[in-house]
C-alpha cells in the first residue's frame, strides 16, 4: 500500500541537476569552446535567447503564483497537497522543469555556448527519470482518476 503522505523523492533532484548542468556547461565552454553560428543568424539566436528568458520569467511567475494560490508545495521532495491544473500547469505538467530547460537553452543562445544546449537536454532527461516519473506515481496514487484525466489532457513537457 502506498503512503499518500510520502514524498515522491527524498532528494530535490531538479535544482541539483540543473545547477550541476549549468556549472558543467560553463566550465566546458571555457575549456573546450565549440564553434558557433556566424552573423546574421547568430544575432537572431541571441535575440531568441533573450525572448526565451522573458518566456521563462512568465512561466516561473505563473507556476509559482498558481502553486501558492493552491496552497501546495513547490518542493519536489515534499508531497503535493493539491492537484494543480491551472496557470502554467494547463499547458505542461512540469512548467518549472520546462522553464529550467528553456533557461539553459536561452543561456546557450545568448552566450553562444552549445554546451548549455546539449546539457539542457541531459538535465531534462535526468530530471524526467529521477524526479518526474516518481512524482507522477505519487500524484496518481494521491489523486487517482483526477490525475489520470489531467495527464491525458496535458503533456508532460510541451
Amino acid at each position: 500500500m502506498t503512503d499518500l503522505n510520502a514524498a515522491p523523492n527524498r532528494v530535490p533532484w531538479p535544482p541539483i541537476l540543473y545547477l550541476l548542468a549549468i556549472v558543467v556547461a560553463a566550465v566546458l565552454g571555457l575549456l573546450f569552446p565549440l564553434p558557433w553560428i556566424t552573423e546574421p543568424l547568430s544575432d537572431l539566436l541571441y535575440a531568441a535567447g533573450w525572448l526565451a528568458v522573458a518566456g521563462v520569467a512568465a512561466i516561473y511567475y505563473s507556476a509559482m503564483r498558481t502553486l501558492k494560490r493552491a496552497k501546495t508545495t513547490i518542493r519536489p521532495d515534499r508531497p503535493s497537497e493539491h492537484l494543480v491544473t491551472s496557470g502554467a500547469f494547463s499547458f505542461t505538467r512540469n512548467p518549472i522543469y520546462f522553464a529550467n530547460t528553456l533557461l539553459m537553452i536561452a543561456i546557450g543562445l545568448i552566450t553562444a555556448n552549445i554546451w548549455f544546449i546539449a546539457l539542457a537536454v541531459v538535465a531534462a532527461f535526468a530530471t524526467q527519470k529521477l524526479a518526474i516519473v516518481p512524482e507522477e506515481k505519487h500524484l496518481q496514487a494521491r489523486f487517482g482518476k483526477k490525475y489520470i484525466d489531467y495527464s491525458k489532457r496535458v503533456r508532460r513537457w510541451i
Side-chain angles (χ1 to χ4, degrees), residues 1-140:
M1 184 167 171
T2 304
D3 179 5
L4 297 180
N5 292 318
N9 277 306
R10 291 181 185 201
V11 177
W13 287 113
I16 295 167
L17 293 170
Y18 283 98
L19 184 59
L20 181 62
I22 287 169
V23 169
V24 171
V27 170
L28 287 173
L30 291 171
L31 297 177
F32 305 103
L34 297 173
W36 187 247
I37 299 164
T38 59
E39 292 181 355
L41 188 55
S42 63
D43 294 337
L44 291 172
L45 293 175
Y46 178 82
W50 282 109
L51 186 61
V53 169
V56 166
I59 294 167
Y60 280 148
Y61 177 77
S62 174
M64 303 296 181
R65 184 173 174 204
T66 305
L67 289 171
K68 186 173 182 173
R69 282 184 175 172
K71 296 182 175 142
T72 194
T73 185
I74 185 175
R75 296 209 25 198
D77 59 335
R78 300 276 194 252
S80 296
E81 294 297 320
H82 305 283
L83 180 62
V84 179
T85 61
S86 60
F89 294 89
S90 66
F91 73 86
T92 173
R93 296 195 313 256
N94 300 285
I96 297 169
Y97 305 155
F98 171 70
N100 291 343
T101 305
L102 184 58
L103 180 61
M104 284 195 66
I105 292 168
I107 293 168
L109 296 174
I110 292 166
T111 63
N113 183 340
I114 295 173
W115 291 111
F116 276 94
I117 298 166
L119 286 169
V121 174
V122 172
F125 179 78
T127 296
Q128 181 164 315
K129 294 300 178 194
L130 294 171
I132 294 173
V133 170
E135 286 174 9
E136 288 177 342
K137 288 178 184 174
H138 163 75
L139 293 169
Q140 187 171 344

